[in-house]
Amino acid sequence: MLMQTFSQQQTLLQAALLTIVVNGFNLVPFLPFDGGWVMHAILFSRHYVLDAAFRALAIVALIGFGLLIHDRFLPVLGVVMLFGLPTC
């Protein structure tokens, strides 16, 4: 009985840790995540040119870093973000 309670407690602890990690990742200040929307509202809501420049810089950084480390996901994410780049 005690061993079953301990293993359930370990499982709950692992689930709680995973939830904290996922929540922390969601607060990263990049636009697809919630932290990015907060940063966007604070910094770029009134400056559309600055918003477009920052997004373009983020796209170039994602594609460049992805190619540098030979990753497939980051350049694809950069190309997807390219479709959301505002046009004047």
Side-chain angles (χ1 to χ4, degrees):
M1 180 86 170
L2 181 62
M3 192 60 162
Q4 183 182 11
T5 304
F6 181 72
S7 69
Q8 287 176 348
Q9 187 177 19
Q10 286 287 33
T11 304
L12 288 175
L13 185 62
Q14 289 175 349
L17 183 62
L18 179 65
T19 303
I20 290 171
V21 169
V22 169
N23 189 24
F25 187 72
N26 190 31
L27 293 176
V28 171
F30 297 113
L31 243 188
F33 306 112
D34 289 341
W37 288 111
V38 170
M39 187 177 83
H40 183 268
I42 292 171
L43 297 177
F44 304 124
S45 63
R46 296 181 185 173
H47 305 285
Y48 300 110
V49 175
L50 186 62
D51 177 33
F54 185 77
R55 286 185 189 204
L57 181 66
I59 290 167
V60 169
L62 276 174
I63 293 172
F65 187 67
L67 293 175
L68 182 69
I69 64 170
H70 305 292
D71 185 52
R72 292 183 184 186
F73 178 72
L74 292 178
V76 170
L77 182 62
V79 170
V80 170
M81 286 177 61
L82 184 64
F83 291 117
L85 194 62
T87 58
C88 296

